Amino acid sequence: MQLIAFQAMPSLQKDGLPYWIFWFVFLFILLLFLFIFLRDHRLRLRMSSFFAGARRRSVLLQLRFKLKREQQKKENVLKRLGEKAWDSDIPLQGAEGTRDALEEMVKKRDATQMEWKNVFAEMERLHKRLEESNALFEQKIQERKAQKQPFDDLAKRKKEEERALKKLAPGRDIDRQKDEVRREAADTIGRVQEFERQIREIEAEKRDHQREIAREIHFWKKKKEKVQERIKEIEAQQQDLYLSLGRILEENKVERVDLRGLSAEIDLVNGRIATLQRRIETLGGG
């Protein structure tokens, strides 16, 4: 009876709260937070200041990125301006040291480029030498193989003759022929083996020669890479000197017809840079 009464009782632990009560409590809490937010003026100011600060920082990051890009553009134009002035041999007060350094750098660049050409020519010579050497060794190998071929054919025929004689009945003439064929076969095989030995020697000599030339090519390849690195370093220094010369031209405001296009381009970039700097200062990021 007790078991039946227990089973008849409603299972209160398994019954959860109805969904409408959960949503009612959730909406009540949400409305409570909204009410507090509307009543608390300082909280609203802090929230507004937080979001405004985040927007301001985002705008500042974008402006600084654009400013950096425009400054890089200006440097590139100044380098072109300095290179143009150098190529045109424009006299410029205050640029004597830069011009002397550029003249020395050009000499270094020309000498290094000539060294690179010599290294490249040496590598080309070694590659050609390797091709010619391989062709010569291959010709020798083919000649030995051509000389060996008749003896290969003869050895094959002697083996066939020897097999044919074995099928015949023994006799004095047959035994004599067998001995003669064996001697001829042995002599022919010896000649074949001699040609094979010569071919192996030529192939070994070819490999040794290839390794020797490959070591030389590797040496000159490393030297070429080092020369290329020196050329890059010299050209980078040369570009820095062009930049210095371009800045001197900008400061002195040199007016020349052949520089007018680049000067106008610098003026446009300077205008964009000034605008971006003012916007950054306005936002308090200066």
Side-chain angles (χ1 to χ4, degrees):
M1 292 294 290
Q2 291 178 352
L3 180 60
I4 295 172
F6 178 76
Q7 291 177 346
M9 292 175 62
S11 180
L12 296 177
Q13 288 92 351
K14 294 181 181 179
D15 293 335
L17 291 173
Y19 283 111
W20 68 268
I21 295 177
F22 168 76
W23 286 110
F24 176 78
V25 173
F26 176 76
L27 289 173
F28 177 77
I29 295 172
L30 189 63
L31 289 170
L32 183 62
F33 274 112
L34 182 61
F35 178 75
I36 294 172
F37 178 75
L38 292 173
R39 290 290 302 271
D40 194 334
H41 181 66
R42 287 179 298 176
L43 177 61
R44 291 201 307 275
L45 288 177
R46 284 197 296 270
M47 293 289 288
S48 177
S49 176
F50 172 78
F51 288 115
R55 286 194 300 272
R56 185 176 62 84
R57 286 191 294 272
S58 175
V59 172
L60 277 172
L61 284 174
Q62 293 177 10
L63 291 174
R64 289 194 180 107
F65 175 77
K66 290 180 180 179
L67 177 62
K68 186 176 181 180
R69 187 172 58 188
E70 292 298 330
Q71 289 171 340
Q72 184 63 47
K73 286 181 181 178
K74 180 179 177 180
E75 283 193 1
N76 292 334
V77 179
L78 286 173
K79 287 177 183 178
R80 288 159 52 199
L81 182 66
E83 185 175 4
K84 180 70 175 177
W86 169 258
D87 292 338
S88 302
D89 198 18
I90 297 174
L92 185 62
Q93 186 177 1
E96 292 80 8
T98 304
R99 293 179 65 85
D100 291 342
L102 266 170
E103 187 174 353
E104 185 66 25
M105 204 60 59
V106 169
K107 290 179 181 178
K108 284 184 180 179
R109 183 200 61 189
D110 293 343
T112 310
Q113 287 178 342
M114 181 58 66
E115 183 181 1
W116 185 90
K117 288 179 181 178
N118 293 335
V119 171
F120 183 78
E122 181 64 22
M123 290 184 66
E124 288 290 306
R125 187 188 67 80
L126 287 170
H127 280 293
K128 186 177 179 181
R129 177 184 162 195
L130 180 61
E131 291 177 2
E132 293 174 351
S133 174
N134 286 339
L136 181 61
F137 280 114
E138 191 61 31
Q139 181 182 355
K140 289 181 179 180
I141 291 171
Q142 294 303 322
E143 287 175 357
R144 295 297 185 278
K145 286 182 177 180
Q147 293 170 358
K148 183 173 78 73
Q149 187 61 46
F151 293 97
D152 287 332
D153 298 337
L154 180 60
K156 187 183 297 184
R157 289 198 302 270
K158 292 301 177 182
K159 286 182 180 179
E160 291 174 355
E161 290 177 10
E162 191 174 357
R163 282 197 298 268
L165 289 171
K166 285 181 180 180
K167 295 178 182 179
L168 299 177
R172 181 179 298 176
D173 292 338
I174 298 300
D175 292 340
R176 182 179 56 77
Q177 289 179 19
K178 287 181 180 179
D179 292 338
E180 185 179 351
V181 168
R182 287 195 195 98
R183 285 195 302 271
E184 291 176 353
D187 181 64
T188 303
I189 290 172
R191 298 291 299 273
V192 169
Q193 290 174 345
E194 174 61 23
F195 282 118
E196 290 176 345
R197 183 189 64 78
Q198 292 177 10
I199 290 171
R200 287 195 298 271
E201 287 180 354
I202 295 171
E203 289 175 340
E205 187 180 356
K206 177 184 176 182
R207 288 192 297 271
D208 292 340
H209 202 67
Q210 285 175 334
R211 282 193 291 267
E212 179 185 350
I213 297 178
R215 281 194 295 269
E216 292 185 52
I217 291 174
H218 180 72
F219 168 79
W220 288 102
K221 182 181 177 182
K222 289 294 182 184
K223 189 168 184 178
K224 187 183 78 168
E225 291 173 355
K226 291 179 180 178
V227 173
Q228 286 176 332
E229 287 298 322
R230 289 212 312 272
I231 291 174
K232 288 180 181 179
E233 292 174 1
I234 291 170
E235 288 178 346
Q237 295 173 9
Q238 196 172 352
Q239 289 297 315
D240 291 339
L241 291 170
Y242 285 147
L243 177 61
S244 300
L245 193 60
R247 284 174 174 160
I248 295 172
L249 285 163
E250 183 188 19
E251 290 172 2
N252 293 344
K253 300 186 183 300
V254 177
E255 294 291 340
R256 282 179 61 100
V257 176
D258 51 350
L259 301 180
R260 189 172 297 168
L262 291 172
S263 298
E265 194 173 344
I266 290 173
D267 291 338
L268 290 174
V269 176
N270 283 337
R272 292 195 294 268
I273 289 174
T275 301
L276 289 169
Q277 288 174 339
R278 284 195 300 271
R279 292 183 63 186
I280 291 172
E281 290 174 0
T282 302
L283 290 172

